[in-house]
């Protein structure tokens, strides 16, 4: 069956460091992969989208990579700040959209 | 510029009751979807629609009905509520698949 795994339920890092979040998938051939941020009590907010034929996408301090051979996406936040603390969700899109369970990131001052 | 509006924000039901969760978007998006979010399980797709008059089942459709009579509205109906349907429900919309989704702020539903 299709499976999407975000490898860490929680990740704690120090302010200024780079946070790296992982999304692995099996039995899936997504056309797109998206990353979202979710704050407590709110709906997810879109961050980045990468297509299956793209290796890397950047937006300000955010970078996402997509390796369809490894079936893996990495999401990086450079120069992390306490305001980056949130849950980050990856989502794979084929005929519909499926989400991973998320990684809760805490950036400590 | 409201985006995606979900009502109500909170609801408590008794087992066996029925209710409709409302979702409306003002961005003229064709694609709309409903998810439920449970602790440790992420967002699970219930039903989705690629345009008015077209709906399809997602990962966990049992116990839920949807209809899409207009582009703007995509209500989710619980026919006979069960405690297992206690969850946070999110509605989302996008211009099409392959585009960023816009989410509402959710409906927190408790079934007693």
């Amino acid at each position: 069956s299709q499976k999407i795994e975000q490898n860490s339920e929680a990740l704690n890092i120090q302010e200024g460091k780079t946070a790296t979040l992982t999304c692995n998938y099996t039995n899936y051939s997504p056309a797109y992969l998206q990353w979202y941020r979710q704050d407590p009590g709110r709906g997810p907010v879109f961050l980045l989208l990468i297509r299956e034929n793209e290796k890397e996408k950047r937006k300000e301090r955010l970078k996402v990579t997509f390796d369809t051979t490894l079936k893996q996406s990495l999401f990086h936040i450079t120069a992390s700040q306490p305001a980056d603390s949130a849950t980050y969700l990856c989502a794979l899109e084929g005929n519909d959209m499926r989400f991973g369970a998320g990684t809760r990131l805490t950036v400590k001052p | 510029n409201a985006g995606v509006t979900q009502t109500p924000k909170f609801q408590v039901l008794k087992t066996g009751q029925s209710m409709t969760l409302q979702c409306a978007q003002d961005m003229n998006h064709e694609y709309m979807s409903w998810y439920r979010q449970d602790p440790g399980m992420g967002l699970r797709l219930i039903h989705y629609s690629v345009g008015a008059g077209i709906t399809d089942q997602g990962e966990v459709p049992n116990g839920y009905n949807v209809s899409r009579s207009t582009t703007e509205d995509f209500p989710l109906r619980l026919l006979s509520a069960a405690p297992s349907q206690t969850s946070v429900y999110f509605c989302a919309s996008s211009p099409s698949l392959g585009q960023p989704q816009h989410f509402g702020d959710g409906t927190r539903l408790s079934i007693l």
Side-chain angles (χ1 to χ4, degrees):
Chain A
S1 63
Q2 295 171 339
K3 213 171 190 182
I4 303 168
E5 288 182 332
Q6 294 192 241
N7 279 18
S8 300
E9 198 172 306
L11 180 64
N12 298 317
I13 64 168
Q14 210 64 35
E15 182 176 7
K17 301 292 185 184
T18 296
T20 298
L21 285 65
T22 305
C23 177
N24 294 296
Y25 59 94
T26 55
N27 296 324
Y28 216 119
S29 297
Y32 308 92
L33 189 146
Q34 301 187 28
W35 283 89
Y36 288 78
R37 169 186 173 136
Q38 187 175 23
D39 292 291
R42 304 300 301 273
V45 174
F46 170 77
L47 296 174
L48 281 170
L49 178 153
I50 188 165
R51 293 175 171 76
E52 61 177 338
N53 60 352
E54 296 176 315
K55 297 290 185 190
E56 183 180 297
K57 209 77 169 286
R58 291 174 186 260
K59 179 183 174 184
E60 297 171 355
R61 294 184 297 113
L62 309 180
K63 184 178 87 171
V64 61
T65 63
F66 191 13
D67 189 327
T68 54
T69 302
L70 289 178
K71 295 187 182 299
Q72 181 181 78
S73 175
L74 299 178
F75 178 76
H76 306 273
I77 305 174
T78 58
S80 60
Q81 306 164 0
D84 294 327
S85 298
T87 296
Y88 291 85
L89 307 169
C90 72
L92 274 63
E93 194 158 15
N95 294 325
D96 56 27
M97 180 173 273
R98 304 290 174 101
F99 282 80
T103 296
R104 188 174 65 253
L105 174 67
T106 303
V107 181
K108 300 187 177 182
Chain B
N1 191 7
V4 178
T5 302
Q6 291 186 238
T7 56
K9 293 193 187 307
F10 302 93
Q11 185 70 48
V12 178
L13 292 178
K14 294 182 180 178
T15 297
Q17 287 185 312
S18 63
M19 86 159 291
T20 299
L21 308 187
Q22 301 292 344
C23 176
Q25 53 92 8
D26 61 0
M27 297 170 282
N28 202 32
H29 286 170
E30 292 294 328
Y31 184 85
M32 295 186 74
S33 52
W34 276 102
Y35 296 87
R36 59 178 289 173
Q37 187 171 39
D38 302 293
M41 301 194 71
L43 289 158
R44 290 185 291 168
L45 182 66
I46 304 172
H47 286 284
Y48 65 98
S49 169
V50 297
I54 306 168
T55 64
D56 209 343
Q57 296 182 350
E59 188 181 357
V60 289
N62 292 341
Y64 307 95
N65 271 2
V66 292
S67 59
R68 184 97 180 270
S69 55
T70 67
T71 298
E72 294 78 20
D73 299 299
F74 191 42
L76 178 72
R77 295 183 188 84
L78 281 71
L79 305 174
S80 178
S84 61
Q85 294 177 304
T86 293
S87 188
V88 182
Y89 291 85
F90 287 99
C91 178
S93 75
S94 64
S96 64
L97 275 173
Q99 299 286 327
Q101 292 207 52
H102 299 253
F103 282 82
D105 275 337
T107 293
R108 283 141 190 86
L109 183 62
S110 293
I111 316 291
L112 304 177

